[in-house]
Amino acid sequence: METPWKYNFASLIDSFPYFGLHGTYHTGGYLAPLGKTRASGLRSATFLQQRRWLDERTRAVFVELILYNPHVNLFSSVTLVVEFTNLGAAYRGAEVVTLRLIQQDAILLFALRAVLAVFILFFAIKEVKRLLSRPLEYLAEFWSWVELLVIIVGIATLGVYFNAQTFIDEAAEQRTSSSAVFSLYKSAVSWFQVYTYLLALLICCGTLKFIRLLRFNSHVHALTMTVRKSSRPVLQFTFMAGIVLMAFTQMGNLLFGIKLQDYKNIPTSLQSMCTMMLGSFDFDALVDGHWVLGPLMFFSYQVMMQFILLSMFMAILMDVYAEESQGPNTDDLQMVGFIKETTSEAVRKANRTLSKVGKSHSTKTAQAGTLDPDNTRKFSKVLEELAGVPKV
């Protein structure tokens, strides 16, 4: 039996790295196909085990497969990982991504994305005109950057979607004639993940613009002014709270880094502390880590973060909010005035456009009704010549 594995170099198709618990793994490596049946997979695995495919220099082993459920039309990209450290320990990991790669209403979705592309193009032209008319004032506004971000993310979202759809169409054509279908579906799943992240960012920016429309409400206006005026004390408080949080993070890593996976390094310990502050924690694991220091750290952290620092944060915000809610600026809450001003501005622009069109039309009419002097002189000469001809 010949060797079933070969080295797979990095390519444009497999261009997404895998972020594991103990490292980041880029494309490329030894590839061994397991086949499409269980018997072929067991036969290949037995051969690899006999030839000692795994040795002391192996860093990680990936088992990847694509599953398809035709009843619900869903694809699942499954990645099973075993990482080996320098100390000989093995850490397992898994990632399952479920997507609907083959859309049933493809024409409707294509039409909706075409409408989105038209809207993005219209607003892009509008924002470019505003940028060229007053560049310094435009770049100094926060909402101008939000508009530019919406346009850029929208274009990137459409580009990533059509790129992923290209991989799906290519995989559908080569489903029965090529062995590279797995890599095509894997790339399509990865690009659809990027598409999901970009779409989430686009929705976030759209929600931010929608919140701006609520600025005519007195409570929303007071909240906006509260966040704006309390930015300096909140920043100072955040710096102090960050020091306390990092102190507890290092404490958790030093106490439980060897016994508990949630505190094995600084990033995971920080994540565990943040989730603990939100109410998600495993108290029994802390007791198993150390029966005295575990509960002591837990209760001291909860008292410090929930009762002291959180109360200070709310006191800062409520103090500024009380000042803003007492005397709101009514000029910023005149929604009817805003609508009238916007409508009048649009009417003025339309009148200027119509007046320019009317002037150009009247100028062309006047020019058409005026006789050319050169033509008049030529016509008079012809009449004189005709007058000098003798009559018969």
Side-chain angles (χ1 to χ4, degrees), residues 236-298:
Q236 296 174 355
F237 169 80
T238 304
F239 180 75
M240 182 188 68
I243 294 175
V244 177
L245 180 60
M246 288 305 300
F248 278 100
T249 299
Q250 294 180 0
M251 180 179 178
N253 177 247
L254 293 175
L255 290 177
F256 314 111
I258 300 177
K259 298 181 179 180
L260 302 179
Q261 288 291 325
D262 294 337
Y263 301 90
K264 61 184 178 181
N265 51 34
I266 295 298
T268 56
S269 180
L270 178 61
Q271 182 180 359
S272 300
M273 288 297 172
C274 293
T275 55
M276 185 186 297
M277 185 172 56
L278 297 176
S280 176
F281 54 87
D282 189 358
F283 183 76
D284 296 333
L286 295 177
V287 175
D288 294 337
H290 198 285
W291 67 279
V292 175
L293 296 179
L296 181 61
M297 188 199 74
F298 173 78

Side-chain angles (χ1 to χ4, degrees), residues 21-252:
L21 298 176
H22 296 273
T24 302
Y25 306 95
H26 299 277
T27 55
Y30 290 97
L31 176 66
L34 299 178
K36 298 182 179 180
T37 61
R38 181 179 180 181
S40 62
L42 291 175
R43 187 166 55 251
S44 299
T46 303
F47 179 80
L48 294 175
Q49 184 179 7
Q50 293 175 354
R51 298 302 177 91
R52 298 182 61 83
W53 191 50
L54 302 180
D55 53 16
E56 64 276 2
R57 291 183 295 271
T58 302
R59 186 67 179 88
V61 177
F62 294 83
V63 179
E64 297 178 321
L65 61 149
I66 297 290
L67 303 177
Y68 176 64
N69 190 342
H71 300 287
V72 292
N73 190 22
L74 290 176
F75 284 84
S76 294
S77 174
V78 182
T79 303
L80 307 176
V81 185
V82 179
E83 299 179 79
F84 301 98
T85 61
N86 296 329
L87 300 178
Y91 296 92
R92 295 172 298 176
E95 181 182 10
V96 180
V97 180
T98 302
L99 295 171
R100 181 172 282 107
L101 298 180
I102 301 177
Q103 303 290 342
Q104 297 179 352
D105 300 329
I107 299 177
L108 178 60
L109 295 176
F110 180 80
L112 293 176
R113 285 176 175 84
V115 172
L116 176 61
V118 171
F119 273 102
I120 291 176
L121 181 61
F122 172 75
F123 284 107
I125 295 174
K126 180 180 178 182
E127 294 301 320
V128 168
K129 289 182 179 180
R130 290 181 56 192
L131 176 61
L132 296 178
S133 62
R134 46 185 188 91
L136 296 180
E137 297 178 0
Y138 182 84
L139 296 177
E141 297 178 359
F142 170 76
W143 295 106
S144 300
W145 289 99
V146 175
E147 295 288 348
L148 293 177
L149 184 61
V150 168
I151 294 172
I152 294 172
V153 175
I155 295 174
T157 302
L158 292 176
V160 170
Y161 172 78
F162 287 113
N163 186 29
Q165 196 64 38
T166 302
F167 283 109
I168 295 174
D169 296 338
E170 186 177 355
E173 294 177 359
Q174 302 179 5
R175 185 179 304 171
T176 58
S177 61
S178 176
S179 60
V181 178
F182 174 80
S183 60
L184 292 174
Y185 275 118
K186 186 72 175 179
S187 300
V189 170
S190 301
W191 280 110
F192 261 103
Q193 283 185 286
V194 177
Y195 168 74
T196 304
Y197 299 146
L198 291 176
L199 192 63
L201 181 58
L202 184 62
I203 293 174
C204 179
C205 295
T207 305
L208 189 63
K209 291 180 60 178
F210 178 75
I211 293 175
R212 188 192 178 195
L213 296 177
L214 300 177
R215 66 185 183 274
F216 299 105
N217 185 278
S218 59
H219 298 286
V220 176
H221 177 74
L223 180 61
T224 304
M225 297 304 297
T226 299
V227 174
R228 183 180 301 176
K229 291 188 177 182
S230 62
S231 59
R232 184 181 179 87
V234 167
L235 184 61
Q236 296 174 355
F237 169 80
T238 304
F239 180 75
M240 182 188 68
I243 294 175
V244 177
L245 180 60
M246 288 305 300
F248 278 100
T249 299
Q250 294 180 0
M251 180 179 178

Side-chain angles (χ1 to χ4, degrees), residues 7 9 210 357 372:
Y7 189 82
F9 291 94
F210 178 75
V357 173
D372 191 357

Side-chain angles (χ1 to χ4, degrees), residues 338-371:
F338 173 76
I339 296 175
K340 288 183 179 180
E341 183 180 357
T342 306
T343 306
S344 61
E345 183 178 358
V347 170
R348 284 197 299 269
K349 289 182 179 180
N351 290 333
R352 285 197 298 265
T353 304
L354 292 176
S355 61
K356 289 181 180 179
V357 173
K359 289 181 180 179
S360 62
H361 180 69
S362 60
T363 304
K364 291 181 180 179
T365 305
Q367 290 178 356
T370 305
L371 296 177

